């Protein structure tokens, strides 16, 4: 995949042939879901482990695990908006005002709608949205990983996102899973050249979290990087615009959700900068990283060194993403999420959570884990990579893209005496090696323990 030009087919791939491909949205979705089934199963397993550990720890300490997931911190603000609409403000002892206008409307709207048509409470509806969106996010993350590096990498990438240090938030009635699902599928749409779909998903993301600005920037910069060389190449000025009309329409559509909410707050409060003033009252204004530097300077030396080491690891991951030559929209989105999370003046403890939607940061370790040697039944990592190549385009089978060159001679369907079922082929192509499974299992246990400890504590995530 090129760094700058998202397209429908992988570089060097032949034109699509009449190879049998699912037709119609129903069969295409079913085929894509079958391809993603291993990733969804692994993600669901690691999140179920987190919930089990929380339940056991909560009951051992006499606390309600459901309240810990849906009845504290931001969850309460979203549910209040869902029940009463906007207009609630809390005055803190120091005189600071916290308005519910700091929270975007899509999650509370979904909570209200679900609670109206089901027996679920607003808290239960929030959990349903978060857990369903978590699966959709894992599916989208898998699709991006499979598109770029093969299906096994897609499975590992979804699993790593599920064991992220603050992955317990994925089980809470928060917006992280909803936003990540929209972002992942928007990026996948761009990679597949579906700009209108990407723009529509950006609209919804812009109604979910302010960090949708990173997604909007990714689309705009990618479009600019595509159009500028075409203009420089000469020719009639209007030709590149006509040829890329869908791209331009998608880019124009992308910011409308975010802008609509900012305008809503401005009209409601009678000030064009009201939204930014509300965020500043919450301490979420942009200060260029001064608050982060002051926080580190105020820590004891061992803690400060540890935090600097963590920031160094974060920077190293960003460098690896660049060296990996991730496609431009993916790289811009990732870097923008990281920058937005670090240059704000808000509560430092929330910053790892705010960076969680930057799932492409996990692509370098996902690729490394997917290529580990030593598999079940004597299969090596290299053999698994061949299987990955043979099925690398299954995630995008709905576009009828042909298999990568050389896939045919490695396909089990052509060499085995009996042709396996599509489900068997899917499982083989996405099968993880034993070392990868062990690493993911250890990370899942650590993430579950840390999540239970944090949720049963006093501070917000």
């Amino acid at each position: 995949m090129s760094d700058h030009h998202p397209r429908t087919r992988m570089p060097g791939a032949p034109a699509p042939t009449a190879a049998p491909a699912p037709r119609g949205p129903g069969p295409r979705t079913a085929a894509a879901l079958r391809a993603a089934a291993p990733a969804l199963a692994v993600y669901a397993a690691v999140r179920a482990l987190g919930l089990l550990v929380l339940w056991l720890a909560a009951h051992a300490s006499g606390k309600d695990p459901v309240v810990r997931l849906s009845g504290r911190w931001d969850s309460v603000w979203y549910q209040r908006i869902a029940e009463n609409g906007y207009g609630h403000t809390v005055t803190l002892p120091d005189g600071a005002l916290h308005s519910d206008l700091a929270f975007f409307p899509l999650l509370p709207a979904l909570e209200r709608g679900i609670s109206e048509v089901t027996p679920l409470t607003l808290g239960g509806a929030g959990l349903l949205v978060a857990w369903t969106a978590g699966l959709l996010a894992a599916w989208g993350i898998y699709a991006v990983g499979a598109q770029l590096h093969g299906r096994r990498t897609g499975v590992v990438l979804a699993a790593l996102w599920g064991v992220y240090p603050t992955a317990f938030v994925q089980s809470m009635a928060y917006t992280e899973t909803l936003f990540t699902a929209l972002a992942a599928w928007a990026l996948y749409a761009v990679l597949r050249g579906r700009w209108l779909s990407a723009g529509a998903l950006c609209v919804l993301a812009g109604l979910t979290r302010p960090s949708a600005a990173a997604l909007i920037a990714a689309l705009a910069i990618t479009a600019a990087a595509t159009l500028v060389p075409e203009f420089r190449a000469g020719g009639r000025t209007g030709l590149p615009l006509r040829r890329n009309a869908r791209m331009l329409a998608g880019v124009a559509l992308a910011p409308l959700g975010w802008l609509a909410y900012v305008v809503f707050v401005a009209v409601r409060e009678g000030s064009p900068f009201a939204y930014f003033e509300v965020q500043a009252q919450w301490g979420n204004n942009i200060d260029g990283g001064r608050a982060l530097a002051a926080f580190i300077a105020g820590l004891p030396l061992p803690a400060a060194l540890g935090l600097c080491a963590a920031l160094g690891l974060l920077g190293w991951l960003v460098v690896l993403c660049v060296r990996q030559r991730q496609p431009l929209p993916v790289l811009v989105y990732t870097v923008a999420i990281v920058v937005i999370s670090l240059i704000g003046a808000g509560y430092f403890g929330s910053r790892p959570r705010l960076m969680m939607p930057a799932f492409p940061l996990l692509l370098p370790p996902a690729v490394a884990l997917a290529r580990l040697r030593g598999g079940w039944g004597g299969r090596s990592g290299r053999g698994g990579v061949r299987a990955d190549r043979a099925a690398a385009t299954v995630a995008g089978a709905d576009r009828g893209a042909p298999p990568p060159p050389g896939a045919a001679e490695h396909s089990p369907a052509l060499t085995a005496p009996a042709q396996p079922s599509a489900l068997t082929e899917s499982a083989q192509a996405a099968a993880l090696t034993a070392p990868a499974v062990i690493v993911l299992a250890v990370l899942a246990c650590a993430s579950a323990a840390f999540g239970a400890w944090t949720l049963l504590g006093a501070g917000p995530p």
Side-chain angles (χ1 to χ4, degrees), residues 185-187 189-190 194-203 215 219 250 253-254:
W185 283 109
L187 291 174
V190 172
R194 300 170 187 161
W195 285 89
L196 290 177
S197 297
L201 290 165
C202 279
V203 171
L215 196 57
L219 267 67
L253 186 63

Side-chain angles (χ1 to χ4, degrees), residues 353-376:
R353 168 174 68 87
L354 299 179
M355 274 187 272
M356 188 164 57
F359 66 89
L361 282 173
L362 303 174
L363 258 175
V367 170
L369 277 177
R371 292 176 178 173
L372 281 179
R373 287 181 174 272
W376 307 105

Side-chain angles (χ1 to χ4, degrees), residues 94-107:
D94 61 359
L97 298 177
H98 282 185
S99 168
D100 58 7
L101 290 169
F103 297 91
F104 280 57
L106 185 57
L107 177 59

Side-chain angles (χ1 to χ4, degrees), residues 142-419:
Y142 158 81
V144 172
Q147 176 74 16
L148 299 179
H149 295 285
R151 295 186 54 223
R152 180 177 288 109
T153 296
V155 173
V156 176
L157 184 61
L160 286 177
W161 189 69
V163 300
Y164 184 84
T166 57
F168 60 88
V169 178
Q170 298 171 20
S171 299
M172 299 176 67
Y174 272 40
T175 57
E176 271 69 19
T177 55
L178 181 58
F179 175 77
T180 305
L182 295 167
W185 283 109
L187 291 174
Y188 180 71
V190 172
L191 294 176
R192 302 293 294 176
R194 300 170 187 161
W195 285 89
L196 290 177
S197 297
L201 290 165
C202 279
V203 171
L204 295 176
L207 294 171
T208 306
R209 291 188 62 82
S211 48
L215 196 57
I216 296 165
L219 267 67
I221 293 174
T222 302
T226 303
L227 290 172
V228 169
E230 294 192 20
F231 279 113
R232 286 179 176 174
R236 290 181 297 173
T237 304
L239 185 59
L241 298 180
R242 290 195 297 270
R243 186 164 51 235
N244 295 286
R246 286 178 174 269
M247 175 192 295
L248 295 172
V251 172
L253 186 63
L256 295 185
W258 186 87
L259 287 174
Y261 185 66
V262 171
V263 171
F264 164 77
V265 176
V267 172
R268 182 185 179 94
E269 297 299 295
S271 168
F273 303 106
Y275 167 75
F276 303 99
E277 293 165 359
V278 167
Q279 291 291 354
Q281 290 168 352
W282 277 82
N284 292 331
N285 54 300
I286 301 298
D287 70 351
R290 290 194 302 273
L292 174 60
F295 179 81
I296 295 174
L299 291 174
L301 182 59
L305 292 176
L307 182 53
C308 288
L311 292 173
L313 175 61
L314 175 64
W316 181 59
L317 282 175
V318 172
V319 170
L320 289 179
C321 290
V322 175
R323 294 180 60 185
Q324 198 178 44
R325 296 181 64 81
Q326 291 183 4
L328 185 61
V330 176
L331 189 61
V332 170
Y333 166 77
T334 303
V335 173
I337 288 288
V338 171
V339 170
I340 291 171
S341 302
L342 293 180
I343 65 174
Y347 171 59
F348 180 82
S350 295
R351 299 190 190 210
R353 168 174 68 87
L354 299 179
M355 274 187 272
M356 188 164 57
F359 66 89
L361 282 173
L362 303 174
L363 258 175
V367 170
L369 277 177
R371 292 176 178 173
L372 281 179
R373 287 181 174 272
W376 307 105
R379 291 183 63 195
S380 70
R382 186 175 300 277
V385 171
R386 289 196 188 102
D388 261 350
R389 283 206 308 266
T393 57
V394 173
D398 50 320
R399 291 298 296 264
E409 58 265 32
H410 298 297
S411 172
L414 298 180
T415 58
Q419 182 161 345

